[in-house]
Amino acid sequence: NSSAMEIVLSNVDILKILFTSFKIEKLCQVAPTCKQWHSICQLGDFWTTLNLEKRQISRAQVTELLRRHPSISSLNLSDLSFVDDSMLETVAASLPSLNKLELGYCQISEQQMGIIANRLTTLSELSIRDASFGRFGPGEVVISHEHLTSLRAEGCRAGRLVVRC
């Protein structure tokens, strides 16, 4: 029955329940359907976890996503070519309650670790995979963060790793 379908597809509470099963990509696909769906898709509840690993996405698009969704508490930026000081500063400025950060397949400098320690103060979990520490090849890197309760470093290259948590 088409009238029953219209009632379901226009009921905000039913749509919220339906949309909770969608991944971010699907939310982005259905958002342009109508104004109501767009506003539902923008709710912070859907944007607590953002996994951008190996996505074909630009720095500008990531910056816009972070600006529009400050409720993101878990962020995966693994295998993005533009994870640098500037991007980490954007993350820190945009996500005041970030709890979990995943980085990987990148070069991580002392300055970037400083941003993570000093600007991402709500961070409790940090996961780094297949990364090189140090600006000019493997060198000493200090991981220091007061609130970090979980640190995973897998397949990383560093001359020396100093952890202070």
Side-chain angles (χ1 to χ4, degrees):
N1 187 331
S2 68
S3 64
M5 176 90 70
E6 288 174 21
I7 291 170
V8 168
L9 294 178
S10 63
N11 184 304
V12 173
D13 294 325
I14 292 173
L15 288 171
K16 284 181 186 178
I17 292 167
L18 176 67
F19 288 1
T20 58
S21 67
F22 290 177
K23 292 186 178 182
I24 295 297
E25 294 86 356
K26 190 67 169 175
L27 281 174
C28 292
Q29 267 183 334
V30 301
T33 302
C34 65
K35 288 181 182 180
Q36 182 184 37
W37 286 26
H38 182 266
S39 64
I40 293 169
C41 289
Q42 297 304 312
L43 294 173
D45 299 351
F46 297 118
W47 295 91
T48 57
T49 299
L50 186 58
N51 183 350
L52 299 175
E53 183 174 6
K54 299 182 181 180
R55 302 272 188 233
Q56 296 298 319
I57 190 167
S58 71
R59 175 189 293 269
Q61 289 170 317
V62 171
T63 301
E64 181 62 15
L65 277 171
L66 299 180
R67 185 191 66 74
R68 291 171 89 190
H69 303 288
S71 61
I72 294 170
S73 61
S74 177
L75 179 63
N76 186 338
L77 297 176
S78 295
D79 206 22
L80 297 180
S81 61
F82 49 80
V83 176
D84 56 13
D85 300 357
S86 174
M87 179 52 62
L88 288 176
E89 287 286 355
T90 300
V91 168
S94 304
L95 305 180
S97 56
L98 185 66
N99 294 321
K100 181 179 180 180
L101 177 63
E102 295 179 64
L103 302 171
Y105 310 102
C106 60
Q107 186 90 14
I108 299 176
S109 69
E110 275 286 331
Q111 186 167 349
Q112 289 168 321
M113 291 309 300
I115 294 167
I116 290 169
N118 300 317
R119 298 282 322 275
L120 296 172
T121 56
T122 60
L123 201 63
S124 61
E125 294 180 51
L126 177 61
S127 177
I128 303 171
R129 282 190 333 253
D130 298 306
S132 291
F133 290 105
R135 190 170 293 260
F136 305 106
E140 179 177 292
V141 68
V142 176
I143 298 176
S144 177
H145 197 288
E146 280 185 37
H147 304 289
L148 212 54
T149 58
S150 174
L151 171 63
R152 284 182 43 192
E154 298 176 19
C156 296
R157 292 160 300 289
R160 182 175 156 190
L161 188 61
V162 179
V163 180
R164 294 184 193 125
C165 299

